[in-house]
Amino acid sequence: MYSKVKAVIAGLIIGSVGGCATESAPAATGNLSVQQRCESLQSLTAEGVDLAIESAVYVSSVEQLATRERLSAAQQENFAPFCKITGYFEQRTGANGQSYAIGFGLSLPDDWNGRFLFQGGGGLNGVIREPIGALAAGEMPAVFRGFAVASTDSGHQSDTVFDPAFFADQVALLNFYSGAVEKTTRLAKQLVGDVYQQAPDNSYFVGCSTGGREAMTMSQRFPELFDGIVAGAPARRTNLSEIADLWSAKRLRMASASGNETPFSTEQQAFIVDELIARCDGLDGNEDGLIFDVEACDFTPQQLSGANNSHAQCLSADEVTALDEAFAGPKLPDGRQVYPGFYFDTGINAAGRGVPGLLQAVPGPLGQSRLDMPFDIIREVTIAEHFPLAPGNALLTNMSTFSGNGSKLMFFHGVSDPWFSAKDTLRYFKQMEQANGGAEAVAQWSQLYMVPGMGHCGGGERTLDQFDMLSAVVDWVEQSKAPASVVATGASMPGESRPLCPFPKVATYTQGDATQAGAYQCQ
């Protein structure tokens, strides 16, 4: 139970209007309703910042949430009211006469627990996502449990999350790399301190995809800003991962009759996954349709060929080669790897929940414009080297200040992610270990969790994609209690649970009800 003093907006003296707390505030706000007090925050100012609060809305019921449909029934049941602020700062005219600003959202709960959370973004941003902190928070989104939660559009405005128009503007790019998150964090913390008349005791960041890259960037470039960070499926090298996505789609399509569609029927896709499961599912001690020991899995596409398999859906030699090369990742003509390949996992044939699996031969969002062109690895690498987002890649491994501050960093990645390979996140994690004293030393402040069957940030035909890493990182930061595992559940596997284990440990069945997490140990 969080024991620190809580602040309650319903009875709070909002002495921050105008940018400073005042002793006379009770007379001004004492007779206001909680909704009126929230609305009064529209006049907030911040010293040295051209802050413009666009709206301050009191969210008193779950029906008012813009993101309600994305929340599970359990998450909705845990709703707690909060004041939602939307605003802009650093408004300016940029390249080509376009207007720019850093947009942000800030949710202030009635019952504040003294903590601050930054909610990472997604895609190319351009929109302000409702700041509630539902990602990796299990059944209790952060704002419902009392966190003040912030988000940003990353410094430009658009109607879609994959609009590259801002690439033309230098400052907009710098803000996308890291500037908008860093600046919004500092502003939001100031506003939180003004409103509650107390600075946050601890600050956290949770993000996936672009938000995962933002999370990594904060740990690498601004090591003093956050006490605990959860980075999911980080888009840490988008310029290169897009080559891999396009390569896998093109290589598979080349084996189709038309040369431009997935070569595998639904029945063949099921056959591929079934053979994979037969080969590797039991490595963790239980055959349940999930491959927890993915590193030990020795499945190869050659096992699917007519020469080695008598199944009616066996693959032709061309299909076997296409599958093998697609998952191996793109290589230069001299054999050098451009980007790691992808794991063979149970979600590679996903077609319903989340992003389509790799077997569907669909490229990533930034490579779709070249899908109908012949694949040219030299052209793709040249594009990648000059790609405007490349300077924002999350590559730094010296984490001495971050770890020295006592901060904690948790990663998670769906093994079936078709956009950003879990192998690339593992690659970085091992590089980080090597640069910071080795695996044992890094385990004192960082962990990586692989999620079998899960696609990009969630989804999958059979997976456990709901878990609470927020509580885990909070306990690690505030109680020095390193997570031994994180229990996961999922809508695609109702009534079941499994432990996710910090790499290199694997959830291994020991005894008991195999559908429940308690029957497994991390070994």
Side-chain angles (χ1 to χ4, degrees):
M1 181 70 180
Y2 190 70
S3 60
K4 296 180 180 178
V5 176
K6 297 178 178 180
V8 182
I9 284 185
L12 182 67
I13 299 171
I14 302 177
S16 59
V17 175
C20 59
T22 66
E23 294 182 359
S24 60
T29 63
N31 296 323
L32 298 180
S33 68
V34 63
Q35 178 176 336
Q36 291 172 323
R37 293 180 181 183
C38 172
E39 292 171 351
S40 73
L41 296 180
Q42 193 156 350
S43 58
L44 274 173
T45 62
E47 185 176 353
V49 179
D50 60 333
L51 177 63
I53 301 298
E54 184 176 72
S55 65
V57 178
Y58 188 64
V59 182
S60 60
S61 69
V62 71
E63 287 76 15
Q64 292 176 260
L65 290 175
T67 52
R68 179 187 177 188
E69 293 183 357
R70 299 181 183 179
L71 301 182
S72 68
Q75 289 174 323
Q76 293 186 39
E77 289 175 3
N78 285 320
F79 173 83
F82 61 94
C83 180
K84 182 172 65 175
I85 297 172
T86 302
Y88 295 88
F89 63 103
E90 288 196 4
Q91 300 181 66
R92 62 188 177 82
T93 299
N96 301 319
Q98 295 298 308
S99 297
Y100 286 92
I102 298 176
F104 73 97
L106 179 61
S107 294
L108 302 169
D110 283 6
D111 196 2
W112 185 47
N113 62 15
R115 300 184 180 105
F116 171 81
L117 175 80
F118 200 102
Q119 173 184 292
L124 299 180
N125 288 339
V127 297
I128 303 170
R129 288 173 170 81
E130 187 170 47
I132 60 173
L135 178 70
E139 296 182 349
M140 182 75 79
V143 73
F144 299 169
R145 62 175 80 180
F147 284 73
V149 181
S151 65
T152 182
D153 59 12
S154 73
H156 63 277
Q157 291 69 53
S158 177
D159 294 329
T160 70
V161 295
F162 288 109
D163 181 1
F166 75 95
F167 288 3
D169 188 84
Q170 180 184 6
V171 171
L173 277 171
L174 292 172
N175 281 332
F176 181 82
Y177 297 159
S178 62
V181 173
E182 183 255 341
K183 296 170 190 175
T184 300
T185 296
R186 297 190 191 281
L187 173 61
K189 284 185 181 183
Q190 178 182 343
L191 296 179
V192 167
D194 284 348
V195 169
Y196 293 111
Q197 300 182 24
Q198 174 187 327
D201 295 307
N202 293 101
S203 299
Y204 299 90
F205 190 111
V206 179
C208 193
S209 192
T210 291
R213 177 193 60 80
E214 293 169 346
M216 292 180 68
T217 300
M218 290 301 103
S219 70
Q220 295 170 9
R221 299 178 184 271
F222 303 97
E224 82 288 355
L225 273 187
F226 295 95
D227 303 294
I229 292 175
V230 179
R236 74 179 197 95
R237 299 194 297 166
T238 304
N239 58 326
L240 298 180
S241 60
E242 283 292 332
I243 297 178
D245 297 344
L246 181 60
W247 162 251
S248 64
K250 288 290 292 184
R251 188 62 189 91
L252 290 178
R253 287 173 179 239
M254 287 166 59
S256 69
S258 69
N260 199 26
E261 60 186 335
T262 178
F264 307 121
S265 66
T266 301
E267 293 75 16
Q268 280 183 308
Q269 292 182 31
F271 164 64
I272 293 169
V273 173
D274 287 346
E275 291 294 300
L276 169 63
I277 288 174
R279 184 79 178 184
C280 299
D281 186 10
L283 294 173
D284 55 23
N286 181 41
E287 297 181 358
D288 57 357
L290 297 173
I291 301 173
F292 279 93
D293 199 354
V294 65
E295 283 287 287
C297 180
D298 61 355
F299 171 85
T300 65
Q302 286 69 29
Q303 298 161 23
L304 307 172
S305 71
N308 300 315
N309 198 304
S310 60
H311 194 282
Q313 301 297 334
C314 63
L315 307 187
S316 68
D318 286 346
E319 290 171 336
V320 167
T321 300
L323 184 61
D324 192 20
E325 293 182 353
F327 275 71
K331 296 180 175 66
L332 291 171
D334 61 8
R336 284 181 293 163
Q337 194 83 35
V338 173
Y339 183 84
F342 295 86
Y343 286 111
F344 285 102
D345 190 44
T346 58
I348 58 177
N349 65 331
R353 298 183 70 246
V355 177
L358 281 168
L359 293 185
Q360 308 306 330
V362 178
L366 299 181
Q368 291 180 0
S369 62
R370 300 189 298 283
L371 181 59
D372 294 330
M373 301 180 186
F375 186 85
D376 182 341
I377 188 61
I378 301 302
R379 178 196 68 209
E380 293 301 322
V381 169
T382 300
I383 291 173
E385 289 175 345
H386 298 90
F387 193 54
L389 300 187
N393 286 351
L395 307 175
L396 305 181
T397 56
N398 182 345
M399 304 290 285
S400 57
T401 301
F402 181 85
S403 60
N405 290 340
S407 300
K408 311 301 181 187
L409 174 61
M410 297 176 68
F411 294 89
F412 70 86
H413 207 131
V415 182
S416 291
D417 191 334
W419 280 3
F420 306 102
S421 176
K423 287 187 176 183
D424 191 51
T425 298
L426 176 59
R427 177 178 182 267
Y428 172 81
F429 190 76
K430 289 182 175 180
Q431 290 173 336
M432 188 179 71
E433 286 180 331
Q434 185 176 8
N436 293 274
E440 186 175 349
V442 169
Q444 304 305 308
W445 54 270
S446 187
Q447 294 179 340
L448 166 63
Y449 290 81
M450 297 288 202
V451 188
M454 189 175 85
H456 184 55
C457 295
E461 303 298 325
R462 179 174 172 79
T463 187
L464 298 165
D465 58 350
Q466 292 294 314
F467 38 82
D468 185 2
M469 288 193 180
L470 177 57
S471 291
V473 75
V474 166
D475 288 346
W476 201 0
V477 168
E478 299 179 14
Q479 300 178 28
S480 300
K481 183 180 177 182
S485 64
V486 175
V487 175
T489 60
S492 64
M493 297 176 63
E496 297 196 38
S497 62
R498 301 287 190 281
L500 302 178
C501 300
F503 181 87
K505 293 184 177 180
V506 173
T508 305
Y509 176 74
T510 53
Q511 62 180 354
D513 184 351
T515 68
Q516 300 304 309
Y520 299 79
Q521 292 184 359
C522 292
Q523 299 179 349

